[in-house]
Amino acid sequence: MSTHDAGPAAGTSAARSPEYRVAHLQDRLASGHLGELGVRTEVRGETVLVHGTVPSARCREDVLSTVREELAGLEVHCDIVVSEPSSPDHAEELS
Amino acid sequence: MIRIAAVGDIHLSPETRGVLRPAFDTLPACADLLLLAGDLTRHGTPEEARVVADEIRGLGVPVVAVLGNHDHHDDRQDEVTAVLREAGAEVLEGESTVVRVGDARVGVAGTKGFGGGFVGASAGEFGEPVMKEFVRVSRRCADGLRASLEKLAQEDCDVRIALTHYSPVPETLAGEPLEIYPFLGSYLLAEAIDTAGADLAVHGHAHAGTEHGMTTGGVKVRNVAQPVIGRAFHVYHLPVPERVGAATEATTT
Ligand SMILES: [Fe+2]
Ligand SMILES: [Fe+2]
């Protein structure tokens, strides 16, 4: 019997499913040197959406290259923005 | 009126050195103090803490901070705290400080806080040691917050602010996946705030959350995580209640 026809017991294709790969990506973003817990990765049908806010353009690049590496072969939409460092233009009045 | 500037989750590191300073330099014109709601660094290294220190040194307004989970990551939170204190910041963990703004006394009680979840979906002190310890840590943080707010009440403060990293309420988490709420905050913090009383509660940690919330007891809560407010800081104008005792004294003498 070839592994191709082995069915669930052989556990090959399921382990490569987008869900697990996304979970590993999330874990790598959070626990690796990136320490990026503010980036969310969601499976949306056939595609993966990666979004969030990071402190710098360099962080954004690091996240994007990690995403490309972990999710190679999947269609990925990235919407990662860099934190806005400007002063506020108004204050909130608390009564 | 007290002008409170606040921001959390600035996650600084050597590569972002100096990015917030231009905005922070405008603080004396628009605020009386700056609150930092934790996650000031990316990995909690002293090197990153020195970047934060340079960003806040000599700002011209008092700086009061708590640490966040990222500031604990390298397990060198004491060094991080020391570096921030050397730059002039008050760093609170189960402690309080009083800042004088004109004639007013502004009390700030702070703790990092911890997770555990919210009413109806919270963790209990039961089972494996690590699970019990998780809940105990959260309880210790909340107890420290309550005790320091109560201490401020006895120190004749005009307004009292609760400063945490983790959230006391679920409202300001809206936008985060419901499944991770137990890692974003604890109702024990809100219970401490409502028991001891406060005029404002400020927190960070929930990057995808929402700015506005309120405790069951009616204390306004603001999530000031930088990705949430989309600015270097936000400013809140907090009215100072009239001192009934002081006014009476003035008229009788
Ligand atoms: Fe954060
Ligand atoms: Fe955090």
Side-chain angles (χ1 to χ4, degrees):
Chain A
M1 193 163 70
S2 76
T3 46
H4 198 75
D5 303 312
T12 47
S13 62
R16 297 301 299 159
S17 82
E19 278 80 3
Y20 294 136
R21 293 177 68 189
V22 162
H24 286 300
L25 167 66
Q26 195 87 55
D27 186 46
R28 193 173 149 197
L29 289 176
S31 321
H33 83 282
L34 286 168
E36 207 46 78
L37 288 104
V39 174
R40 309 258 359 128
T41 316
E42 293 169 42
V43 181
R44 296 254 180 102
E46 301 290 292
T47 64
V48 180
L49 178 62
V50 182
H51 58 103
T53 307
V54 296
S56 70
R58 163 83 187 281
C59 273
R60 188 172 177 277
E61 281 313 307
D62 289 348
V63 168
L64 291 181
S65 65
T66 306
V67 168
R68 278 189 214 108
E69 204 179 301
E70 284 282 337
L71 302 184
L74 291 176
E75 193 184 337
V76 179
H77 297 294
C78 272
D79 185 13
I80 296 170
V81 297
V82 177
S83 287
E84 174 58 51
S86 62
S87 298
D89 48 17
H90 71 286
E92 182 189 342
E93 305 291 333
L94 302 173
S95 50
Chain B
M1 177 190 67
I2 312 291
R3 303 169 303 168
I4 298 147
V7 66
D9 302 270
I10 54 181
H11 291 284
L12 295 178
S13 63
E15 72 194 47
T16 43
R17 184 185 299 281
V19 287
L20 293 172
R21 187 71 196 209
F24 281 179
D25 277 332
T26 69
L27 281 167
C30 65
D32 301 307
L33 73 159
L34 172 65
L35 304 180
L36 297 175
D39 275 5
L40 309 179
T41 65
R42 287 182 70 195
H43 308 95
T45 64
E47 186 193 18
E48 291 175 348
R50 281 191 285 276
V51 175
V52 180
D54 290 343
E55 215 77 351
I56 60 170
R57 186 176 284 111
L59 273 190
V61 296
V63 178
V64 183
V66 294
L67 299 189
N69 53 319
H70 281 249
D71 308 317
H72 279 250
H73 180 68
D74 204 32
D75 210 12
R76 295 166 85 178
Q77 51 277 10
D78 293 343
E79 283 173 74
V80 169
T81 297
V83 169
L84 298 178
R85 283 185 177 151
E86 182 273 324
E90 287 277 357
V91 184
L92 306 176
E93 181 45 63
E95 298 153 300
S96 62
T97 186
V98 178
V99 175
R100 284 182 171 279
V101 176
D103 294 334
R105 290 167 59 79
V106 179
V108 183
T111 179
K112 177 178 65 65
F114 201 40
F118 300 92
V119 178
S122 59
E125 203 176 314
F126 183 84
E128 301 90 328
V130 68
M131 191 63 211
K132 285 185 285 211
E133 185 58 15
F134 181 91
V135 178
R136 269 184 216 133
V137 168
S138 201
R139 197 179 301 280
R140 263 200 302 273
C141 290
D143 287 347
L145 182 65
R146 196 197 62 239
S148 47
L149 280 170
E150 283 169 347
K151 180 165 174 278
L152 287 174
Q154 288 160 8
E155 288 178 353
D156 197 27
C157 288
D158 295 278
V159 299
R160 288 180 299 153
I161 302 165
L163 176 63
T164 61
H165 179 60
Y166 284 76
S167 178
V169 295
E171 284 90 341
T172 47
L173 306 181
E176 297 280 3
L178 207 52
E179 294 86 343
I180 67 167
Y181 277 26
F183 301 106
L184 298 179
S186 166
Y187 78 93
L188 294 169
L189 293 171
E191 191 179 23
I193 290 165
D194 283 341
T195 303
D199 298 284
L200 176 66
V202 171
H203 75 88
H205 191 50
H207 292 202
T210 304
E211 186 179 2
H212 295 75
M214 192 178 266
T215 66
T216 307
V219 178
K220 291 187 178 75
V221 179
R222 295 294 179 264
N223 175 0
V224 296
Q226 200 192 356
V228 170
I229 60 176
R231 284 286 190 271
F233 55 86
H234 258 188
V235 178
Y236 304 99
H237 289 174
L238 197 58
V240 180
E242 266 187 45
R243 287 188 172 237
V244 179
T248 314
E249 208 174 284
T251 50
T252 51
T253 48

